[in-house]
């Protein structure tokens, strides 16, 4: 019997190209996940700095300007500070909110920084 081997090279080419394509898709998937993780870390750092800015603003106002938050007088703790002129950031996706709780003799401040879809918080007691 005589067997024809005319399709063997085409079959091997398709198998090799399919294997290479599978490997490349796997590698590109890993790289894409790493890029997304690094992007998220950058946004996280920016949100953390926004939260830190809120803490610094409130501590400065309390110590230098003798600021007394009006929200401490009533309501359930922690109270949201809304009567202090907050810093405005150039980027509209960047913001922070301040919350205050007083338990004698300590004052606890919580600042939540937001950047795009990332939130980071800092809490300070003094």
């Amino acid at each position: 019997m005589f067997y024809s081997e005319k399709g063997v090279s085409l079959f091997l080419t398709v198998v090799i190209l399919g294997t290479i394509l599978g490997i490349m898709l796997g590698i590109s998937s890993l790289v894409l996940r790493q890029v997304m993780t690094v992007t998220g870390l950058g946004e996280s750092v920016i949100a953390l700095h926004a939260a830190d800015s809120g803490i610094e603003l409130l501590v400065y106002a309390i110590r230098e300007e003798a600021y007394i938050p009006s929200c401490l007088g009533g309501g359930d703790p922690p109270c949201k500070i809304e009567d202090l002129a907050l810093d405005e950031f150039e980027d509209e996706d960047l913001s922070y909110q301040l919350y205050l709780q007083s338990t004698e003799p300590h004052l606890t401040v919580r600042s939540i920084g937001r950047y795009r879809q990332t939130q980071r918080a800092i809490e300070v007691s003094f």
Side-chain angles (χ1 to χ4, degrees), residues 19-126:
T19 304
I20 291 172
L21 179 64
I23 291 170
M24 294 307 294
L25 285 175
I27 290 173
S28 64
S29 172
L30 291 173
V31 169
L32 185 61
R33 285 186 196 164
Q34 291 297 321
V35 167
M36 290 173 61
T37 300
V38 169
T39 302
L41 287 175
E43 291 178 0
S44 177
V45 169
I46 293 171
L48 184 66
H49 284 290
D52 185 49
S53 294
I55 295 283
E56 291 293 329
L57 174 70
L58 183 63
V59 169
Y60 177 80
I62 290 173
R63 292 193 178 181
E64 297 297 322
E65 300 173 5
Y67 168 75
I68 299 172
S70 63
C71 70
L72 284 180
D76 295 328
C79 61
K80 183 176 179 182
I81 296 178
E82 296 177 340
D83 61 338
L84 181 64
L86 301 177
D87 287 342
E88 293 293 326
F89 296 110
E90 291 179 12
D91 190 344
E92 61 188 38
D93 292 335
L94 186 61
S95 65
Y96 61 85
Q97 290 179 335
L98 295 170
Y99 297 90
L100 192 62
Q101 184 171 357
S102 177
T103 53
E104 292 297 328
H106 299 288
L107 189 64
T108 302
V109 180
R110 181 180 186 98
S111 178
I112 301 173
R114 291 182 175 86
Y115 183 64
R116 294 186 181 154
Q117 297 173 358
T118 305
Q119 295 184 18
R120 293 294 174 259
I122 298 176
E123 187 171 290
V124 177
S125 295
F126 57 96

Side-chain angles (χ1 to χ4, degrees), residues 1-19:
M1 301 235 8
F2 180 71
Y3 295 103
S4 174
E5 298 182 6
K6 291 183 180 180
V8 172
S9 60
L10 179 61
F11 175 73
L12 286 176
T13 302
V14 169
V15 168
I16 290 171
L17 287 176
T19 304

